[in-house]
Amino acid sequence: MGVFSNQELFEVDAMTNPRKKRKKYMINQTEWRAPYDEEVPWLIKDNVRKYKSAIQRLHYEIEEFVAYLCPTDIERMWRVFAIRRIEECIKSSYPDAEIMVFGSFNTGLYLPTSDLDIVCFIRENSQDILKQIAQLLYYHRISEERPITLTKAVVPIIKFRECHTKFNVDISFNQSSGYTSSRAMKSYLDQWPSLGNMVIIVKWFLKHHGLDDPSNGGMGGFTVFCMMLSFFQTHPLIRSGILIPDNENLGVLLIEFFELYGLKFNFFKVAIRVNDGGEYVLKDKESWTTKIPRTNICIQDPSDSDNDIARSTRNTEIIFSHFEKAFQRLVVRVGSLERKYRIQDNEMDSKINEESILSSILFMPRKIIELRRELHRLYAENQEFADEYGSTKIIPPRFSYILYNFHYQIEYADRLRIEKASKLSNKNGTYKIKPIKTRKEYLDMASKCKDEVDTYREFPCERSNFLPATYGDSYKKIFYSEVEHEHNIKIKNRNKNRFFVAESSKGESSSSRYKRRFEESRYERHKFDEIVYYEHDSEEYEDDYVIQPTPKRRKGNRNKNKNKKYIS
């Protein structure tokens, strides 16, 4: 057999999948299409590393992909900036409130498009607190549009998009479960250093195929984390110490992960438990599992033994069918490169560095690249103020302090959450309801964790290669705060007439001092010679497997508005 072309690969998929299954699950074929060369920006073509096999090449490509997704210092700063704006806005009217970030930002496993999950501990127990905070966020221009308040959800939240950074934000109130879940995840990440890279790959795979939103039946990040953790815990070679994930084995493990959950795992009868070393249990014999529908995958919450964290994943069958297809594609691609570039038993041709294996199952859409570029352009235009608000490191409040000062409000929020969850559990066939904790139990919990100091974990990769891959060597001149570089005088002069300011005047109330606005200047953008935004320069592959040359974009008629007069 020769090297599979793109057309032949789809024929292989057609042969291995029954027709009925293909009609039901292969709906969004645009996400399985062959990517263009600019949609594989993580590929480092000038790499001189030598490989013994194609599967070893996959291991290092996973590291390259994670390094590309790694947030730059500027992207981290903008997330800190958004969090600080929200905190100041809420504290302007509620000085005793405390803000804590949980979820992917807390554990460091966030994607460029990930939401900011924030919990606000506040002494108000009114049902109208969501509407009051939502009005406050819109009034201070924190929210781009009027926030959405989900008051009838099991955990009431406020959803909105931050006005300037365009990050999606979810704010819940007086919920303590976010801290305990993040603490459990970080302890497992310390135990398995390579676990974070694998979680990032699968999260982006689900994001790429539109299967990552739990509100639409998709699979959330915590569910992905626990599935990958269970895979590591139950893998026989990892448990025996024969296979070490960091020793160039991430490629093998990724293929085996897709094989396990795409082909072998019986999610109709089996549930996952990650505590006490990890094990599989029968759904029918566990009280915490979701019985209806039976097609749901069930995973026990590591910090709450009565909670099924995957109860919202209603599209388990569709997700696992995508895992099956990813397994088939990776196996075909690895075998194809083995036949093409094998020189001798333990040596591959150096041209394999120019090939991508991950592009057979995912790619980087141009809109995501533009989204990240826009954050860096925004920084270049508002550098001084952005550094003032976002350059410092966020230190979350001690959880013991939260429990001591807000245990009444946490107990009230838990009571409402459990009442709503009990109604939902009766519909889903979950018969055991967790009892409500007393105030004494919260105070005992606070005394046990009084010495714990929480920190927000960094991304699994230490250094991002997004800027070099996107802008080339010129990124040092454009974003000199990313590296130790001298201040460019021309860029500084360019930004002095356009900056991001916080207004404050004596006649204003304390709540209106945090209004934000942009001061627009008449200066045109991108006029200096050193501000050059290079496209990713990538040649067409010799193999016609996946990478396609980017089609030329049509240029508009430049003389169309030649005589049009603009208001200066």
Side-chain angles (χ1 to χ4, degrees):
M1 295 179 66
V3 179
F4 279 104
S5 66
N6 189 32
Q7 182 179 359
E8 290 171 336
L9 182 68
F10 278 98
E11 291 176 357
V12 171
D13 288 335
M15 288 186 292
T16 54
N17 288 324
R19 180 172 297 178
K20 291 183 179 179
K21 188 173 183 179
R22 185 170 70 249
K23 284 184 178 179
K24 184 175 181 180
Y25 297 134
M26 294 176 64
I27 299 172
N28 193 1
Q29 285 292 352
T30 58
E31 304 304 334
W32 289 104
R33 65 172 173 82
Y36 299 114
D37 54 355
E38 67 175 4
E39 293 176 326
V40 193
W42 65 87
L43 198 62
I44 304 175
K45 287 190 174 182
D46 57 353
N47 196 348
V48 295
R49 185 183 286 113
K50 295 183 179 180
Y51 301 102
K52 297 180 180 179
S53 62
I55 201 70
Q56 186 185 20
R57 165 64 189 146
L58 178 58
H59 167 87
Y60 285 102
E61 187 180 359
I62 290 173
E63 292 186 344
E64 293 171 6
F65 183 83
V66 174
Y68 181 82
L69 283 181
C70 176
T72 63
D73 291 342
I74 293 174
E75 290 177 298
R76 291 191 186 99
M77 183 213 60
W78 280 125
R79 288 186 177 267
V80 174
F81 168 82
I83 294 168
R84 288 196 179 280
R85 290 194 70 210
I86 295 169
E87 183 177 14
E88 286 191 354
C89 174
I90 295 176
K91 285 192 173 184
S92 65
S93 297
Y94 302 94
D96 296 334
E98 291 291 342
I99 299 296
M100 182 180 290
V101 188
F102 63 98
S104 58
F105 183 84
N106 193 310
T107 58
L109 301 178
Y110 57 92
L111 303 175
T113 58
S114 293
D115 299 348
L116 283 173
D117 298 315
I118 297 175
V119 57
C120 175
F121 295 95
I122 194 168
R123 299 190 186 279
E124 298 288 334
N125 281 331
S126 172
Q127 294 288 343
D128 298 330
I129 189 63
L130 269 75
K131 295 181 180 179
Q132 295 172 8
I133 298 294
Q135 291 175 359
L136 197 64
L137 294 169
Y138 184 67
Y139 176 74
H140 291 303
R141 292 189 61 191
I142 307 295
S143 175
E144 186 178 36
E145 298 177 350
R146 289 193 177 276
I148 300 173
T149 56
L150 303 178
T151 57
K152 295 183 179 180
V154 175
V155 178
I157 60 173
I158 299 174
K159 299 177 72 71
F160 65 94
R161 176 178 291 182
E162 207 275 332
C163 183
H164 303 299
T165 61
K166 309 303 179 184
F167 291 135
N168 293 322
V169 184
D170 295 342
I171 301 181
S172 58
F173 293 88
N174 299 326
Q175 300 292 330
S176 61
S177 58
Y179 171 81
T180 55
S181 299
S182 299
R183 182 178 58 179
M185 292 175 68
K186 286 186 283 190
S187 66
Y188 287 120
L189 287 170
D190 293 336
Q191 181 181 357
W192 308 96
S194 58
L195 183 63
N197 290 346
M198 299 291 286
V199 172
I200 290 293
I201 290 288
V202 178
K203 285 180 67 174
W204 184 260
F205 174 83
L206 294 173
K207 172 69 179 178
H208 176 69
H209 294 282
L211 300 171
D212 64 327
D213 188 1
S215 62
N216 294 327
M219 185 173 288
F222 194 24
T223 303
V224 173
F225 178 87
C226 290
M227 286 177 61
M228 187 63 70
L229 174 62
S230 173
F231 170 71
F232 273 51
Q233 291 174 330
T234 57
H235 196 290
L237 297 181
I238 296 179
R239 296 187 76 165
S240 61
I242 299 175
L243 188 146
I244 301 175
D246 290 330
N247 291 350
E248 300 181 342
N249 291 314
L250 295 184
V252 176
L253 293 175
L254 180 64
I255 293 177
E256 290 183 349
F257 174 85
F258 286 135
E259 180 186 18
L260 171 64
Y261 291 108
L263 293 172
K264 297 180 179 180
F265 190 79
N266 185 2
F267 55 89
F268 292 97
K269 296 183 179 180
V270 179
I272 295 174
R273 176 180 290 152
V274 297
N275 286 337
D276 301 326
E279 62 178 342
Y280 296 130
V281 295
L282 293 176
K283 277 187 179 182
D284 295 336
K285 295 185 177 180
E286 299 292 329
S287 60
W288 55 269
T289 57
T290 301
K291 305 298 191 301
I292 302 173
R294 293 188 62 84
T295 56
N296 269 31
I297 184 173
C298 297
I299 303 175
Q300 189 180 44
D301 191 339
S303 59
D304 185 356
S305 59
D306 296 319
N307 183 33
D308 180 8
I309 63 173
R311 62 178 180 270
S312 300
T313 310
R314 301 182 300 275
N315 297 330
T316 303
E317 288 183 283
I318 300 176
I319 293 171
F320 281 22
S321 69
H322 279 69
F323 287 170
E324 178 186 358
K325 188 167 183 177
F327 165 72
Q328 295 169 355
R329 286 222 168 175
L330 288 176
V331 169
V332 169
R333 181 61 171 160
V334 169
S336 173
L337 295 181
E338 280 283 346
R339 292 187 294 273
K340 184 176 181 180
Y341 293 107
R342 172 65 64 186
I343 299 177
Q344 49 188 352
D345 290 343
N346 290 325
E347 186 177 355
M348 302 290 290
D349 193 331
S350 60
K351 290 184 179 180
I352 196 174
N353 285 304
E354 301 177 358
E355 301 284 0
S356 173
I357 302 175
L358 285 177
S359 62
S360 60
I361 62 172
L362 52 84
F363 55 84
M364 191 68 57
R366 183 175 178 82
K367 63 180 181 179
I368 302 298
I369 302 174
E370 286 297 326
L371 178 68
R372 300 184 71 180
R373 284 179 178 178
E374 188 58 34
L375 289 176
H376 292 79
R377 295 188 189 118
L378 185 66
Y379 175 77
E381 297 166 1
N382 306 278
Q383 185 173 347
E384 293 183 3
F385 183 77
D387 287 339
E388 179 184 355
Y389 268 71
S391 59
T392 58
K393 187 177 181 180
I394 295 182
I395 300 176
R398 286 179 179 250
F399 191 59
S400 57
Y401 171 81
I402 296 295
L403 291 176
Y404 274 123
N405 290 275
F406 297 96
H407 58 274
Y408 290 100
Q409 291 75 24
I410 295 174
E411 180 191 6
Y412 178 77
D414 281 350
R415 182 181 294 108
L416 293 180
R417 176 175 57 84
I418 290 173
E419 289 176 357
K420 293 179 181 179
S422 62
K423 297 178 181 179
L424 183 64
S425 62
N426 290 332
K427 296 179 182 179
N428 294 341
T430 307
Y431 303 110
K432 183 179 179 180
I433 304 301
K434 181 184 176 182
I436 301 173
K437 287 185 179 180
T438 61
R439 295 171 188 172
K440 184 178 182 303
E441 289 176 331
Y442 283 116
L443 294 176
D444 292 341
M445 188 188 305
S447 62
K448 291 179 181 179
C449 65
K450 63 180 180 179
D451 297 329
E452 293 183 6
V453 179
D454 188 28
T455 56
Y456 295 137
R457 188 183 178 90
E458 296 295 334
F459 196 80
C461 179
E462 296 180 358
R463 191 68 177 173
S464 173
N465 65 4
F466 169 76
L467 290 177
T470 307
Y471 300 103
D473 293 335
S474 64
Y475 82 95
K476 295 181 181 180
K477 297 180 180 180
I478 303 172
F479 310 114
Y480 48 82
S481 67
E482 181 70 17
V483 295
E484 295 179 359
H485 193 272
E486 293 185 50
H487 287 285
N488 192 307
I489 299 176
K490 291 184 179 180
I491 297 179
K492 187 175 181 180
N493 292 334
R494 171 177 176 261
N495 293 330
K496 69 180 182 180
N497 293 326
R498 179 182 173 89
F499 52 94
F500 198 33
V501 299
E503 283 192 338
S504 178
S505 62
K506 297 181 180 179
E508 291 178 336
S509 62
S510 60
S511 62
S512 62
R513 292 177 185 173
Y514 300 99
K515 284 187 178 180
R516 310 287 187 238
R517 67 181 179 87
F518 274 104
E519 281 197 359
E520 298 288 345
S521 70
R522 300 175 185 176
Y523 205 87
E524 295 181 11
R525 297 173 58 184
H526 313 313
K527 287 296 182 183
F528 285 99
D529 295 336
E530 66 270 26
I531 308 296
V532 181
Y533 297 99
Y534 291 100
E535 300 290 338
H536 179 66
D537 187 14
S538 177
E539 298 178 356
E540 184 179 0
Y541 287 97
E542 296 177 2
D543 184 6
D544 60 349
Y545 172 69
V546 286
I547 306 299
Q548 299 178 3
T550 304
K552 294 182 179 180
R553 295 179 178 83
R554 293 183 179 180
K555 296 182 179 179
N557 188 358
R558 296 184 178 180
N559 297 325
K560 185 176 180 180
N561 298 324
K562 186 175 181 180
N563 299 323
K564 187 175 180 179
K565 294 183 179 180
Y566 294 91
I567 299 174
S568 59

